[in-house]
Amino acid sequence: MGPFSSYGNYVRIRHREGLKTAYAHMKGFKRGLRSGSRVKQGDVIGYVGTTGRSTGPHLHYEVHVNGAKVNPRTVKLPTGEKLKGQDLVAFKEMIGAVNKEFASMGLGKTIASLSAAGATKTN
């Protein structure tokens, strides 16, 4: 994190093994953020700007796999686990209970969807 070559203000985040993302040309960083800080998805890390060799305000974004820049659209990312067996049954029961609670509050239609667990339900 900091000034880096023609990129201006630059942040590189190390993710899982071999995967890093980089953000450049930012006008500044989130207050209190330091090199080595832990961040999680959704955290603010900086602000769009035009530092370094930039022709106008924008955010430069890169993905690196094993040290090489790659097209972000081609990176295979983990998609999570599909629920099965008792875990799927428990999830469906929980969704049913949540939907009943919302209905008792007069919130009407089904709020939560079972399609996220591989099943579908329509109301």
Side-chain angles (χ1 to χ4, degrees):
M1 180 180 146
F4 180 66
S5 184
S6 61
Y7 288 108
N9 290 330
Y10 178 89
V11 172
R12 186 175 56 228
I13 298 176
R14 184 184 52 194
H15 300 273
R16 63 176 169 79
E17 188 176 306
L19 179 69
K20 297 177 183 174
T21 54
Y23 309 84
H25 302 304
M26 297 186 294
K27 75 175 179 182
F29 307 109
K30 178 183 174 190
R31 185 170 298 202
L33 195 64
R34 303 277 180 263
S35 288
S37 294
R38 284 180 113 26
V39 295
K40 58 184 185 266
Q41 188 172 359
D43 285 353
V44 172
I45 59 172
Y47 307 96
V48 172
T50 183
T51 60
R53 288 192 204 143
S54 168
T55 58
H58 71 284
L59 178 67
H60 178 88
Y61 171 74
E62 295 178 350
V63 175
H64 300 241
V65 176
N66 296 323
K69 292 180 192 176
V70 297
N71 181 344
R73 298 175 78 189
T74 63
V75 176
K76 301 288 186 225
L77 298 172
T79 59
E81 296 180 29
K82 201 164 186 123
L83 295 176
K84 297 177 188 167
Q86 187 55 40
D87 289 335
L88 179 58
V89 170
F91 178 75
K92 288 179 180 181
E93 289 172 357
M94 180 188 70
I95 293 300
V98 168
N99 285 333
K100 283 182 185 178
E101 186 176 344
F102 281 129
S104 73
M105 293 183 225
L107 295 176
K109 296 187 177 198
T110 301
I111 303 297
S113 169
L114 295 173
S115 63
T120 58
K121 177 181 178 182
T122 55
N123 279 2

